[in-house]
Amino acid sequence: DVKVTQSSRYLVKRTGEKVFLECVQDMDHENMFWYRQDPGLGLRLIYFSYDVKMKEKGDIPEGYSVSREKKERFSLILESASTNQTSMYLCASSLGVGNEQFFGPGTRLTVL
Amino acid sequence: QQPVQSPQAVILREGEDAVINCSSSKALYSVHWYRQKHGEAPVFLMILLKGGEQKGHDKISASFNEKKQQSSLYLTASQLSYSGTYFCGTEIWRGTASKLTFGTGTRLQVTL
């Protein structure tokens, strides 16, 4: 079975802190994605990566950056966390276009 | 731009049928459907590739009208286990990678 894991299920940070969210997949998938999920807004794409060191902005990249140094790992970075970044963050991976995405369990981030 | 899903919410009695619609203003490579139960990650249901195909999975099926960039998810003889939020994701091929954009979701509740 494909497994996508995220480093934390719950995280509480303070405004201004630098935050790292880690995602690891074990199926050699080319593509990896970061979404945030807020009530009534669905899943919104923050960034995605189609190869090691390759990344593209999604629909809401402001305030975020990403890193993909190894194929299996995709990190989301909040350079200076703000309260409006309090949300559920979901990581996903897939083989590529026309293939399903497999989601991790999510990280609920609270910024105080 | 997120695809438009309708209805936003629906309540069914067990055994009744439902249709969830998804429309996009962009030319699509494929449409994905996912279901998310409360507190869990989204789970893949099916993909429809361009070409107007229709797919089925047990009592859940879907269609994709490529000309209209619309997809519909059909749930027949609903079961309690069908409860959850359904998301469509519209996939666009960008040359180097594909991008999946999710709708805001349709909350489905099946009651006895």
Side-chain angles (χ1 to χ4, degrees):
Chain A
D1 281 350
V2 174
K3 186 175 277 186
V4 180
T5 57
Q6 296 183 227
S7 50
S8 306
R9 290 299 304 269
Y10 300 92
L11 207 55
V12 179
K13 294 292 182 181
R14 297 213 173 268
T15 302
E17 279 193 82
K18 190 169 186 176
V19 182
F20 293 87
L21 302 182
E22 304 285 337
C23 175
V24 178
Q25 51 94 5
D26 66 357
M27 285 302 291
D28 204 34
H29 282 174
E30 301 290 335
N31 293 4
M32 296 187 74
F33 310 83
W34 275 107
Y35 297 91
R36 65 175 282 175
Q37 184 172 23
D38 301 287
L41 299 179
L43 292 90
R44 293 180 294 165
L45 181 65
I46 304 171
Y47 267 96
F48 63 105
S49 168
Y50 52 91
D51 201 351
V52 175
K53 296 190 187 294
M54 306 303 287
K55 60 187 179 186
E56 282 202 31
K57 293 180 180 178
D59 298 313
I60 51 164
E62 296 79 19
Y64 304 94
S65 62
V66 290
S67 172
R68 193 166 181 200
E69 296 295 321
K70 293 185 177 181
K71 192 174 185 180
E72 67 270 18
R73 188 179 298 269
F74 192 34
S75 302
L76 180 69
I77 303 154
L78 288 69
E79 294 290 340
S80 178
S82 63
T83 54
N84 62 14
Q85 293 179 309
T86 290
S87 185
M88 171 66 81
Y89 290 87
L90 289 160
C91 174
S93 72
S94 80
L95 275 171
V97 62
N99 287 275
E100 65 185 279
Q101 292 194 5
F102 295 86
F103 285 85
T107 296
R108 184 165 294 281
L109 173 67
T110 302
V111 182
L112 300 175
Chain B
Q1 191 172 5
Q2 289 181 282
V4 177
Q5 274 187 248
S6 63
Q8 289 185 327
V10 59
I11 299 175
L12 298 173
R13 288 192 183 276
E14 197 174 26
E16 291 183 333
D17 302 340
V19 180
I20 300 171
N21 299 302
C22 176
S23 65
S24 173
S25 58
K26 301 192 176 185
L28 304 176
Y29 183 90
S30 73
V31 177
H32 298 216
W33 285 97
Y34 293 78
R35 177 172 62 208
Q36 184 178 32
K37 293 185 179 286
H38 183 70
E40 298 179 8
V43 173
F44 169 78
L45 293 175
M46 63 187 76
I47 285 178
L48 299 107
L49 303 178
K50 64 179 180 180
E53 66 174 288
Q54 183 154 353
K55 278 194 173 182
H57 175 66
D58 196 10
K59 294 190 175 77
I60 300 175
S61 62
S63 63
F64 176 26
N65 185 320
E66 185 184 349
K67 287 184 180 178
K68 293 185 178 180
Q69 304 304 322
Q70 292 176 347
S71 178
S72 295
L73 186 72
Y74 308 94
L75 299 105
T76 57
S78 59
Q79 305 167 14
L80 294 175
S81 61
Y82 286 4
S83 293
T85 301
Y86 290 77
F87 293 99
C88 71
T90 51
E91 186 173 28
I92 297 171
W93 174 242
R94 291 157 60 112
T96 51
S98 67
K99 176 183 170 184
L100 192 65
T101 304
F102 286 93
T104 54
T106 295
R107 189 175 300 173
L108 178 76
Q109 183 181 353
V110 181
T111 63
L112 289 170

